[in-house]
Amino acid sequence: MTRPLRSDAARNRVLLLAAAAEEFAAAGMNASIADIARRAGVGKGTVFRHFPTKDDLLAAIVLDRVESLTALAFSLASADDAGQALFDFLAEAAGRQQQLDFSFLRDSGDINDQLREARERLYLTIIALVERAQAAGAVRADVTGLDVILMMCVPAHVVSFVPGAAPDLWRRYLAMVIDGLRPEGAHPLGPPSPVEAV
């Protein structure tokens, strides 16, 4: 059985994850342990006590984000308005991505089994949100859960190409994504959705 962390150790872990998230968002995979430790206000030894390798630290950051999104999706899964629940989830997910750019994490799915399993739980929860919204008639029937998962990063990704973009510009592109999901005025999508792409 894993022993619970002492209060100071638990606090250091929280500080480290927050500092590492900011450092990785700023520097990508070039982020150094020394810079992360400095940002967190701890020594490098403290970082390595919690996370023996850089990959362990990266996996912990991604796992924290994935589990947070899964909890959000799960909390919306029984909302009365299934369509609004999906759209609220997409808005919150896009907002979080806009706050810290983690686009470099796209290929981090194979860091460890725990992260892979957490991502699978997230995807299944999002797919359930999509299917509920479709059953309620709020989302077009020819969209798949995978389509929605792939489009989640569109707002922040598009804005990343605009120098000096307004802080809320991502909302414009989120609105386009959401309007594209609605059945009103929908046109055929052309090629089928990929079977497996994430």
Side-chain angles (χ1 to χ4, degrees), residues 96-138:
R96 292 182 189 187
Q97 187 175 10
Q98 185 62 27
Q99 290 168 7
L100 289 175
D101 177 16
F102 287 106
S103 56
F104 69 93
L105 295 177
R106 273 192 306 269
D107 302 321
S108 64
D110 292 329
I111 290 177
N112 63 36
D113 289 340
Q114 188 181 15
L115 179 53
R116 196 161 29 248
E117 290 164 6
R119 277 190 162 164
E120 287 172 8
R121 285 193 298 275
L122 173 60
Y123 295 158
L124 289 173
T125 311
I126 295 171
I127 289 167
L129 283 179
V130 173
E131 291 175 348
R132 253 188 107 235
Q134 286 173 318

Side-chain angles (χ1 to χ4, degrees), residues 160-183:
S160 71
F161 290 98
V162 182
D168 61 348
L169 181 61
W170 62 273
R171 294 183 183 279
R172 176 180 178 86
Y173 302 102
L174 173 67
M176 291 181 189
V177 168
I178 288 175
D179 277 355
L181 291 173
R182 297 183 192 278

Side-chain angles (χ1 to χ4, degrees), residues 29-187:
M29 292 304 293
N30 293 323
S32 74
I33 296 298
D35 287 338
I36 291 168
R38 190 163 32 254
R39 191 185 282 263
V42 300
K44 284 172 64 175
T46 300
V47 179
F48 289 120
R49 273 195 298 279
H50 286 275
F51 307 103
T53 70
K54 197 174 182 178
D55 276 355
D56 291 326
L57 180 53
L58 187 57
I61 294 168
V62 181
L63 186 61
D64 185 60
R65 288 175 60 84
V66 168
E67 289 180 337
S68 174
L69 282 175
T70 303
L72 172 64
F74 188 78
S75 74
L76 293 166
S78 58
D80 291 338
D81 188 332
Q84 192 58 51
L86 174 62
F87 302 150
D88 286 348
F89 173 78
L90 292 175
E92 180 64 23
R96 292 182 189 187
Q97 187 175 10
Q98 185 62 27
Q99 290 168 7
L100 289 175
D101 177 16
F102 287 106
S103 56
F104 69 93
L105 295 177
R106 273 192 306 269
D107 302 321
S108 64
D110 292 329
I111 290 177
N112 63 36
D113 289 340
Q114 188 181 15
L115 179 53
R116 196 161 29 248
E117 290 164 6
R119 277 190 162 164
E120 287 172 8
R121 285 193 298 275
L122 173 60
Y123 295 158
L124 289 173
T125 311
I126 295 171
I127 289 167
L129 283 179
V130 173
E131 291 175 348
R132 253 188 107 235
Q134 286 173 318
V139 169
R140 54 193 295 172
D142 57 350
V143 165
T144 68
L146 179 55
D147 288 328
V148 174
I149 290 166
L150 290 170
M151 288 191 299
M152 281 174 57
C153 59
V154 166
H157 181 68
V158 170
V159 170
S160 71
F161 290 98
V162 182
D168 61 348
L169 181 61
W170 62 273
R171 294 183 183 279
R172 176 180 178 86
Y173 302 102
L174 173 67
M176 291 181 189
V177 168
I178 288 175
D179 277 355
L181 291 173
R182 297 183 192 278
E184 298 85 9
H187 294 87

